[in-house]
Amino acid sequence: MSTPSRDRILAQATGNGVVGAHAPLRDIVRALDDELRTAELPDYAGAMNGLQVANRGTVTKVAVAVDASRAAITEAAIWGANLLIVHHGLFWGGAQPLTGVAYDKYRTLFGADIAVYATHLPLDGHAELGNNVRLAHALDLTPGGGFARYKTFDVGVMGEGELPTAELVARVEAFVARYGGAVRTSVEAAGRTTRRWAICTGGGANSETLREARERGIDTLIVGEGPHHTTVEAIEHDLCVVYAGHYATETLGVQALGAWLEQRFGLPWTFLHLPTGS
């Protein structure tokens, strides 16, 4: 299990920022909403994209994390952040009483004056800052189009090339190792060639994405995770699904947002590395 003292990385990904820089929270939220098209793009109800918790109105330090976990909130407070940007927000489980862990989380947020901004599918599908395009670049792949349609927009990316599938899997393994994860594949990669690939980070393997992969001639699909039946379907259709871990595949978008805010507002930021093992 992750613990703040063991897993925090407070310096590795920190931007320089400007000492003493500050910005109104409302300006940052407006900039994020515009860039991410928060009001325009659909998402699951529990995502509740946008500002989830306010602070007293000023931001001087930004922390970014994959999840709005108790560990992330604690680390943000330790670092002195007053804005926490996350991919998975506070309300995935729906309404709940503010007792136990939930109470601890909000007590820390309010006590340390930390605002929380969440961005789920709008971040996944962003053309420059998104988890999917950033993962493609990290694997030295060049996207040529969208993939994994969700209602009105493509969440993932796809592209073409010709390389041994085992080499591509090795690239994924090297990336995932940096974030404490592991990789498995639906079929043996050795002896295969990847000519059309697709990426859908997080819980990207499902019946819809596998069907889309077959329809579009995808031979290698890189995802975070998926239910057991997706492996069965992939084997039956000779599709190499590369399961790279939900957490690891969704670390890059929030880091890109931290760097974007530093460039836009001059604010120092840090990435809170808190792997979940999934």
Side-chain angles (χ1 to χ4, degrees), residues 106-131:
Y106 286 98
R107 180 181 63 178
T108 302
L109 289 172
F110 296 148
D113 195 33
I114 301 172
V116 177
Y117 186 99
T119 176
H120 185 235
L121 293 186
L123 180 59
D124 281 329
H126 193 280
E128 295 179 5
L129 305 174
N131 284 315

Side-chain angles (χ1 to χ4, degrees), residues 134-142 163 167-168 171 197:
R134 291 275 169 159
L135 181 57
H137 293 160
L139 299 176
D140 199 23
L141 299 173
T142 303
L163 74 160
E167 178 184 329
L168 178 55
R171 294 181 192 178
W197 56 266

Side-chain angles (χ1 to χ4, degrees), residues 251-268:
T251 53
L252 299 180
V254 289
Q255 294 182 69
L257 276 182
W260 185 82
L261 285 177
E262 178 188 346
Q263 183 179 36
R264 184 78 176 264
F265 294 96
L267 296 170

Side-chain angles (χ1 to χ4, degrees), residues 8 10 14 21 23 25 28 53-56 58-65 71-86 108-117 261 267-272:
R8 62 174 156 164
L10 296 180
T14 304
L25 176 64
I28 294 174
V53 176
N55 68 3
R56 294 188 180 93
T58 301
V59 175
T60 58
K61 299 175 76 174
V62 178
V64 302
I73 291 169
T74 299
E75 292 298 345
I78 290 171
W79 195 63
N82 38 30
L83 172 60
L84 174 63
I85 298 176
V86 296
T108 302
L109 289 172
F110 296 148
D113 195 33
I114 301 172
V116 177
Y117 186 99
L261 285 177
L267 296 170
W269 66 281
T270 194
F271 171 58
L272 305 177

Side-chain angles (χ1 to χ4, degrees), residues 210-243:
L210 266 63
R211 186 180 306 113
E212 182 179 352
R214 295 195 298 271
E215 292 171 350
R216 304 182 73 171
I218 301 299
D219 52 63
T220 308
L221 173 60
I222 301 168
V223 301
E225 63 176 336
H228 175 71
H229 73 81
T230 62
T231 305
V232 176
E233 291 181 38
I235 293 171
E236 292 176 341
H237 291 90
D238 195 33
L239 171 65
C240 184
V241 179
V242 183
Y243 300 90

Side-chain angles (χ1 to χ4, degrees), residues 19 29 45 82 99 121 173-174 181 213 224 274:
V19 176
V29 170
N82 38 30
T99 59
L121 293 186
E173 289 173 336
L274 296 160

